[in-house]
Amino acid sequence: MAILYESGKKTFTLQTQNTTYQMKIAQYGYVVHTYYGPKAEDEDFSYLIRHYDRGFSPNPYEAGNDRTFSLDVLPQEFSSCGVGDFRISGIEVKNHDGSIAFCGTYAGHRIYPGKYGLEGMPSLRVREEDHVDTLELVLRDAVTGVEAVLLYGVFEEKDIITRTVRIENHGDQAVQLEKIMSAVLDFMDSDYDWISFNGRHAMERGMQRIPLSFGVQSFGSIRGTSSHQHNPFAVLCEKNACEDYGNCYGFSFMYSGDFFCGAQKDPFEQTRVVMGIHPEHFSWSVKPGEVFQAPEMVLAFSEHGFTGLTHLYHDIYRRNLCDSIYMEKRRPILLNSWEAAYFDFNYESLIEIAKASSEIGADLFVLDDGWFGERNSDDAALGDWQVNEKKLPGGLKRLSEEIKRLGMDFGLWVEPEMVSEDSRLYRQHPDWCLHMQGRPSARGRYQLVLDLSRKEVQDFVLDFMRNILDESDITYIKWDMNRSLCNIGSAAAKEQGEVAHRYMLGVYRILEELTKEYPQVLFEGCSGGGGRFDAAMLYYHPQIWCSDNTDAINRLKIQYGTSFGYPVSAMGAHVSVCPNHQTGRTVPLKTRGIVAMSGTFGYELDASRLDEEEKRQCREMTEDFRRFQELIFQGDYYRLTSPYENGAFTAWAFVAKDKKSCLANLVITDCEANDAQRYMRLRGLEKRQRYRIEGMEGSYSGQALMQAGIPVPCGMKEYDAAWYYLTAEEI
Ligand code: GLA
């Protein structure tokens, strides 16, 4: 059992291979958090908690005149609200009398093998090699009968702890849940840095590292999606932590809607981290006998710096998240028509592109936006999911059959969550979009959002998706979602504060059913690129289009930031034309290939316009990717330099789990004439193993390659790139 309750000490200790997490039932039934960090055996860490009379920190009534016991300073396992803890709270309950209070004390627990269930929402799955145990810890508010059941899933071998909370109303009055974080995590110190991943459309997940300082440093989304602007993943680390050194805590929220993540340094230099659904547009009625289930949060700790933490997330998200057959199977190399043709295509022009796509070795031809209804630009027809026969006579069936004849599979773009006002669907069902009574809705990319909090609207989406998938042989779907949610109201809802979360539950229901019914289909997520790049979407989609920005140099930063919390096999990355459509930059084709190869690899260009030499290079890149795909998708990922810090080049590597092979990549990001000799230092190799490097003479020890590195050829020009393939020399 990875979870031990010691009744004498009243401690709960959660053990994974390399970490220990502990809490304890303290005086008056309050549950305090005592430890999370490197593995420790047989220790009761509550000796760390000292009690002092802290001025202006109230004492619970039960503590009588003991002025040293205060919820305001104790490290707690979850927080109360309204009863004397002034730090950022994990919960806000509005009771039937209007009071805002919740004070949870220990009311029981259950420890059992296996993982708790989470109905209707994504969560980590248990695989046959896993030993997972669950702790359910009940905190009960004695006045109202409301319970917060804290759930912990301990993935012993994988050094991962999942947390979530279930609110149960055992009282006889309805309460309104105004805020519920999936986890609260208190630390007794505060000498940390706080790392988040922020950006904007076409420039997602830029890394920001700031010192934790007094007050709350928070980020989140109230856009109805996890968003381009802030990603639901954060790292708290020691000040001196770097790639291979230092204690790091990871917080990954498995949710695709509004979220909040905050870290607070309190007046006594302690830290609290909370993460959960953003409270801003949220309010949920919990009547007697009802429950509310919060989404899951995935916690990890590594004492080996960012790389250690990254490997924990990569490993668990590659193995325990998505059930698609494409997690094990080789993914197809696709060519997507968006940057090739935008809305400007017909049957003949697509076939031209498709023919050339097959010549460069693509496995899959994906028809992007513009194939349905009167969709000739982005201002119409979302919702009218019937093929436009004027553009594509014979429909998708004929097109897909022709693509098949060219030796490729056929894939399709959809944006099922949306409706254009200029559409038959909107004219038929104007109340099927999110809107607030009497208030005109803001448009985003001209479109409105379908009210997927309603079952009949979910069913409509399911039906047309089934029609599309049944009508022709489609092996890939790009599931897009191109606006932020606002005017979030539903004609069918009694409680408007519930609509945003019900919308997400509706999306999850649709994706759950479709992915189960069509296991042969590879679903790629998308939201204007990476606007919904989160662990919850990766539960359904093995890959997500990382960004609408295909500029290889910008991608270095985007993919770097994304790699901290998400595996490379999840990052949609394509080779596009130059000058790049987003930045106007020109970068060698080889460089574009190398950058796209640090993702799912594919093309986003009109292959029929490539000249013979470019086609040859593309064919070569396609072959290279096929050759290295397993190493790239299953190996350990190492960031060798940061695109934010190293002026001369950006480098990264994939090392096979058995350390017998490695693919190291570099891109020259800045160049000076007559430059200094620079070295790319590798990581993750076996010190004493000797490696051959393809295209280079001799062999080199892992030690030398890691300590001294590979000399970066001086003649490389700006934006040139190179890869080095290393294999262990047989002894
Ligand atoms: C979004 C996607 C693009 C493309 C367009 C189509 O912006 O991110 O890749 O599919 O929509 O309209």
Side-chain angles (χ1 to χ4, degrees), residues 88 179 181 194-198 208 210-221 229-231 233-234 259-265 272-276 278-280:
I88 188 167
K179 174 182 186 183
M181 295 290 104
W194 182 230
I195 299 177
S196 56
F197 299 89
N198 316 292
Q208 173 180 266
I210 54 170
L212 192 68
S213 48
F214 287 112
V216 180
Q217 283 95 71
S218 73
F219 59 90
S221 166
Q229 285 72 12
H230 302 286
N231 192 264
F233 176 69
F259 76 96
F260 178 86
C261 182
Q264 179 175 23
K265 175 169 167 173
R272 171 170 292 176
V273 175
V274 302
M275 201 169 195
H278 204 297
E280 198 133 310

Side-chain angles (χ1 to χ4, degrees), residues 225-238:
T225 59
S226 46
S227 87
H228 302 87
Q229 285 72 12
H230 302 286
N231 192 264
F233 176 69
V235 177
L236 186 75
C237 66
E238 286 184 328

Side-chain angles (χ1 to χ4, degrees), residues 329-469:
K329 216 173 131 173
R330 199 175 67 73
R331 308 255 182 99
I333 295 174
L334 66 84
L335 185 138
N336 177 295
S337 72
W338 181 240
E339 287 196 23
Y342 296 101
F343 292 105
D344 187 15
F345 59 81
N346 57 29
Y347 179 83
E348 285 72 28
S349 70
L350 288 180
I351 294 299
E352 272 306 293
I353 302 174
K355 275 186 186 143
S357 311
S358 86
E359 282 172 35
I360 60 171
D363 304 305
L364 170 72
F365 181 80
V366 177
L367 175 53
D368 208 279
D369 199 351
W371 58 268
F372 52 92
E374 291 302 315
R375 181 80 169 166
N376 301 312
S377 77
D378 56 6
D379 59 359
L382 290 171
D384 296 345
W385 298 105
Q386 289 80 32
V387 72
N388 182 333
E389 292 262 353
K390 278 177 271 171
K391 289 185 194 172
L392 301 172
L396 295 177
K397 196 163 172 19
R398 174 169 171 238
L399 181 64
S400 61
E401 280 168 6
E402 189 52 30
I403 301 286
K404 276 257 136 90
R405 259 193 291 281
L406 293 171
M408 289 178 295
D409 285 330
F410 179 64
L412 199 62
W413 177 95
V414 287
E415 195 180 353
E417 299 165 55
M418 296 293 149
V419 59
S420 306
E421 281 160 288
D422 184 4
S423 68
R424 269 179 291 121
L425 178 65
Y426 184 77
R427 286 186 279 275
Q428 271 165 21
H429 297 286
D431 67 326
W432 272 16
C433 61
L434 291 176
H435 65 284
M436 293 162 166
Q437 208 74 59
R439 190 184 294 277
S441 293
R443 302 183 183 98
R445 205 194 189 196
Y446 309 108
Q447 62 208 44
L448 301 175
V449 186
L450 282 180
D451 180 1
L452 294 178
S453 71
R454 292 170 68 170
K455 175 135 188 323
E456 67 268 47
V457 187
Q458 296 164 21
D459 289 341
F460 162 79
V461 172
L462 279 165
D463 284 348
F464 80 69
M465 282 304 300
R466 287 183 186 119
N467 287 343
I468 291 172
L469 289 166

Side-chain angles (χ1 to χ4, degrees), residues 5-36:
Y5 175 62
E6 290 183 80
S7 52
K9 300 180 194 159
K10 295 191 176 169
T11 53
F12 297 92
T13 309
L14 281 41
Q15 296 286 25
T16 71
Q17 201 161 293
N18 297 296
T19 71
T20 297
Y21 183 112
Q22 196 182 67
M23 65 202 96
K24 179 181 175 107
I25 308 166
Q27 292 99 307
Y28 324 113
Y30 291 102
V31 180
V32 293
H33 176 79
T34 59
Y35 182 78
Y36 185 29

